[in-house]
Amino acid sequence: MTATTIDRPAVSGAVAGAATAARDTWALIGRTLRRSLRTPDTLIMGIALPVMIMAMFVYVFGGAIDTGMQYVDYVVPGIVLLCAGYGASTTAVGVATDMTGGLMNRFRSLPMRPAAVLTGHVVESMVRNVVSTVLVVGVALAAGFRPTAGLGGWLAVAGVVALYVLALTWVAVCIGVVASTPEAASGFSFVIMFVPYVSSAFVQPETMPRVLELVARYQPVTPVTDTVRAWLTGAGEAQPWVALAWCAGVFLVARVGAVVLFRRRAG
Amino acid sequence: MAAMIETRGLRKSVGPTRVLDGVDLAVPEGSVLALLGPNGAGKTTMVNVLATLLRPDGGQALVGGVDVVRQPERARTLFSLTGQYAALDELLTGRENLVLMARLAHLPRAAVGPRAAELLDAFDLTDAADRLVRTYSGGMRRRLDLAVSLLTRPRVIFLDEPTTGLDPRSRADLWEVIRGVVREGTTVLLTTQYLEEADALADRIAVLDRGSVVAEGTAAELKRRVGSAHLELELVDGRVERLATDGSVGDARRLLALVEAEDRPVAHWRLATPTLDDVFLTLTGAHVPGAEPGAARASDDPGRRASAPLQEVAR
C-alpha cells in the first residue's frame, strides 16, 4: 500500500516529496485551466471592460485631455495595466469559492499539500491574463495606438506586466482566502479597478489637487505605468527599479501572507 | 478482532460548548458502525476529528492503529471521507473529477483511467461520465462523491450523513452501493439522523447525544433496552392502547381474549416490537427540560405519539 513510501530514507524521501508536490500542482493547474475555459465570462469581462474604458477615454474624454502627446499613446499602457489588474483580482472569487465549498475538505483529507490549490489558481490567472492582455493590445493597435518599441522593449514590458499580474494575483489570493463568501471576494475587483484612476494612467498627476497628486505620484501603479509607457512609446521617464521594487515587494508579502492565512483558515 | 477505528476519551470544545465530551468508540475491522444522533449531537465533529480536519482538545483517535493527531499524513493514506456536502468540482465532468482526485491521491499513473472507468460503471454513472457535475442530480452527486472516496480502495470510510436530502429511491440506491463497499471488507463509520438507515446498514449503533455516547449496541440490543413487544389496540374513537406481551402465541391469545371479554371497541390491533425510533426518543429525549421523554415530541408529531406510553413500560 501507499504506506510503504513513508518508510523510505529521508533524502530520497525529500526528493520524492518535491516530485509529488510538483505532480499535485500540475494536476491542480489542469483543473483551474479547465474551469477557466468553462467559465468564459471571466475572460470576456476581463477583455470587454478595458476595451470599453479605452473607447471612452480615447474617443470621449481624450480630446479634452492634454498630455503633450497623442492621447491614445498616453492612455494605452494604463489600460493594459487596468486590464491585467482586473484580471488578476478575479482570482479572489475563485479562491473564495474553493475555500467555502465542500471541496476543500476533500483536498485536506488527501495525502497532498492543500496549499497547492492556490498555486493552481495563480497559474490560471497568469495564463488568462496573457490572453486578455494580448487581445486588449490588439484592440489598442486597431484604435490607433502606435508604439515605437522594438522586440527587446516589448519583452521588457511583458516581464513588468507579468510581475505586476503575479503580485496582484497573490494579493487576490489573500483576499480570497480570508473572504467569508465568494460575493465578498468579488468586491476586491472594484477596488483594484479604481486604483489606476489616481495614478499617471489616465492623466498626469501634476494636474490633480496637491493631496491626490502625492497619492498618485507615490502609489505603485504610477511607476509601473510610466515604465511601460516609456518603454513602449519613448514618452516620459521609465522608473523600472521603482516599479520592480513595488511589484517584487507586494509579491513577496502577499505570497507569504497567503500561505500563512491559508494555514490559519484551512490547516 | 482488532479495532480499525478507535477513540478514547475524545474531547473537543468550540467556545464554551463541549461538542465532544469524552467519546469512546471501537469499530472492528470490516464492520459498520452508525453514529446516530440529532442535529448538533457532535456527529460531524467526530468525523472531522477522525478525518484529520479538526484537532481534538484531548483524548486519542486511531485509524488503523495510526494516531490521527500525531501522524495525520500517514492516517490519510488509510481512510477516505465523504462529507455532508458533495466535495466535487461542479465545472468538471464526473470522469474528470475522478481522474483529478485519483492523481491527487497518488494512484499510479497507468491505473488512473481504468480505475475511474471501473467506478463510473459500478456506480451507474457511465452515461453521465462526460457531463459537467453541475448538471447532476443530488443522487448522482452523492454516488460520484462516494466513488471518489473509493478510488484508493481505502480500508476505512467515513460517511457523514450520506443520504441526507435524497429522495427515497436515490437513498435506496445509495444503500445498495454502501452495502457493496462493506462486502469488500471496508470498515465504515457512518453518521445519520435516520434510524432506519442505521438499522439497514450498521452492525452496531452508537447513539450520540450532546457529545457523549449514551448507548451502544446492535439494533436488536438497543431495542431490547427500551422494552419488549406489545399489542397495540386502536380503538374506534382513535385512541391507542398498548398491552405488554412476551410475543408468544399463547400470550397474544390470552390478551386478545381479555380484550374480547371486556368488549372493548377495537378497530384494529397489531403486534408491535420496539423501533429504533423508540430507542432514540428514550435515550436522547430525556434531555428535553421539564418534559416527559416522549411527550415533548409526541405533541408536535402525531406519528410519534405511539411511542410515549411504551417508554413508561420500559421504565
Side-chain angles (χ1 to χ4, degrees):
Chain A
M1 275 205 58
T2 23
T4 50
T5 52
I6 289 155
D7 303 314
R8 279 182 196 164
V11 178
S12 70
V15 174
T20 306
R23 275 200 299 274
D24 291 349
T25 308
W26 185 246
L28 288 162
I29 290 169
R31 165 188 176 241
T32 45
L33 289 178
R34 278 210 174 88
R35 288 179 61 92
S36 195
L37 284 173
R38 285 164 196 174
T39 44
D41 41 321
T42 310
L43 182 62
I44 291 168
M45 245 335 240
I47 296 162
L49 217 60
V51 167
M52 286 190 302
I53 290 169
M54 179 158 47
M56 194 157 76
F57 273 88
V58 171
Y59 299 117
V60 180
F61 302 141
I65 302 173
D66 179 19
T67 57
M69 60 190 286
Q70 276 292 313
Y71 187 66
V72 66
D73 289 331
Y74 181 87
V75 82
V76 164
I79 300 280
V80 166
L81 290 175
L82 185 134
C83 162
Y86 176 79
S89 68
T90 55
T91 303
V93 180
V95 172
T97 307
D98 274 357
M99 296 301 293
T100 49
L103 201 55
M104 192 53 77
N105 278 350
R106 165 90 72 201
F107 288 143
R108 287 171 61 205
S109 69
L110 283 169
M112 61 169 250
R113 205 172 52 90
V117 177
L118 303 181
T119 313
H121 281 287
V122 171
V123 172
E124 183 271 337
S125 165
M126 298 302 288
V127 173
R128 179 164 41 80
N129 279 295
V130 166
V131 175
S132 64
T133 308
V134 166
L135 288 172
V136 166
V137 170
V139 174
L141 291 171
F145 178 53
R146 291 294 169 262
T148 56
L151 182 64
W154 278 104
L155 287 177
V157 166
V160 171
V161 173
L163 191 57
Y164 180 79
V165 172
L166 185 66
L168 271 182
T169 300
W170 277 105
V171 175
V173 168
C174 290
I175 304 281
V177 169
V178 297
S180 51
T181 61
E183 289 74 21
S186 73
F188 179 58
S189 300
F190 285 93
V191 176
I192 288 297
M193 284 279 291
F194 280 96
V195 174
Y197 286 95
V198 191
S199 79
S200 66
F202 294 97
V203 298
Q204 288 159 319
E206 49 270 32
T207 62
M208 297 179 189
R210 182 73 185 146
V211 175
L212 282 183
E213 183 195 342
L214 285 174
V215 173
R217 211 174 276 286
Y218 295 106
Q219 69 125 312
V221 179
T222 294
V224 179
T225 312
D226 288 354
T227 302
V228 171
R229 185 186 294 126
W231 284 352
L232 282 182
T233 67
E237 205 181 319
Q239 310 179 48
W241 299 114
V242 184
L244 288 179
W246 265 114
C247 291
V250 170
F251 164 70
L252 284 176
V253 171
R255 177 76 181 76
V256 172
V259 172
V260 171
L261 293 169
F262 184 82
R263 285 225 182 99
R264 190 169 299 173
R265 178 99 185 259
Chain B
M1 215 185 315
M4 199 63 191
I5 305 168
E6 193 172 0
T7 69
R8 291 185 209 124
L10 209 56
R11 283 185 290 108
K12 174 77 189 175
S13 295
V14 176
T17 316
R18 286 188 193 166
V19 186
L20 297 179
D21 197 6
V23 178
D24 299 301
L25 280 181
V27 188
E29 186 166 4
S31 73
V32 183
L33 178 85
L35 210 50
L36 180 67
N39 280 329
K43 303 189 298 289
T44 297
T45 306
M46 189 72 198
V47 167
N48 284 347
V49 167
L50 283 166
T52 75
L53 298 179
L54 270 181
R55 252 187 111 81
D57 299 334
Q60 219 185 3
L62 306 172
V63 175
V66 177
D67 188 314
V68 301
V69 178
R70 291 211 193 120
Q71 295 180 285
E73 279 86 12
R74 186 143 176 230
R76 280 176 206 151
T77 63
L78 299 175
F79 70 79
S80 269
L81 164 69
T82 301
Q84 216 171 109
Y85 306 98
L88 300 166
D89 192 320
E90 301 260 303
L91 288 174
L92 298 184
T93 65
R95 191 190 307 278
E96 284 168 349
N97 265 287
L98 281 165
V99 168
L100 172 67
M101 297 305 174
R103 290 173 66 188
L104 293 176
H106 307 149
L107 244 65
R109 187 171 286 259
V112 169
R115 181 73 178 139
E118 184 187 343
L119 285 165
L120 286 166
D121 191 44
F123 287 70
D124 200 16
L125 288 166
T126 304
D127 291 342
D130 298 311
R131 265 165 50 199
L132 296 190
V133 169
R134 195 161 54 176
T135 67
Y136 280 25
S137 70
M140 290 163 77
R141 276 164 207 245
R142 293 296 177 100
R143 293 209 301 275
L144 181 61
D145 206 26
L146 192 53
V148 170
S149 291
L150 294 173
L151 277 166
T152 54
R153 304 176 200 275
R155 293 163 71 189
V156 174
I157 292 195
F158 301 121
L159 297 170
D160 193 10
E161 304 206 0
T163 65
T164 299
L166 291 189
D167 60 72
R169 172 77 201 276
S170 308
R171 173 174 300 172
D173 287 349
L174 203 63
W175 283 1
E176 255 332 292
V177 167
I178 294 170
R179 288 193 184 107
V181 172
V182 173
R183 271 196 296 275
E184 292 187 9
T186 314
T187 309
V188 176
L189 184 141
L190 73 94
T191 76
T192 181
Q193 28 181 334
Y194 302 116
L195 311 142
E196 49 163 338
E197 186 158 284
D199 210 355
L201 294 175
D203 298 313
R204 291 180 75 77
I205 298 168
V207 182
L208 194 67
D209 189 42
R210 305 192 171 190
S212 311
V213 175
V214 293
E216 203 202 322
T218 63
E221 280 166 9
L222 290 179
K223 285 174 190 169
R224 236 174 283 139
R225 282 185 59 158
V226 179
S228 54
H230 55 269
L231 277 189
E232 197 171 280
L233 311 174
E234 193 185 331
L235 307 183
V236 285
D237 61 3
R239 283 184 303 133
V240 176
E241 282 187 17
R242 280 174 192 72
L243 304 169
T245 165
D246 61 9
S248 68
V249 175
D251 195 45
R253 187 180 289 141
R254 182 181 63 83
L255 288 170
L256 285 174
L258 275 173
V259 170
E260 207 168 26
E262 289 177 19
D263 202 18
R264 279 201 260 184
V266 175
H268 308 282
W269 70 272
R270 67 185 185 96
L271 181 68
T273 47
T275 64
L276 271 178
D277 241 323
D278 304 322
V279 177
F280 198 56
L281 285 171
T282 311
L283 293 168
T284 67
H287 288 295
V288 178
E292 283 286 56
R297 298 187 193 192
S299 60
D300 49 53
D301 182 356
R304 290 257 171 92
R305 198 167 296 148
S307 54
L310 173 63
Q311 281 149 23
E312 277 141 36
V313 173
R315 260 185 262 124

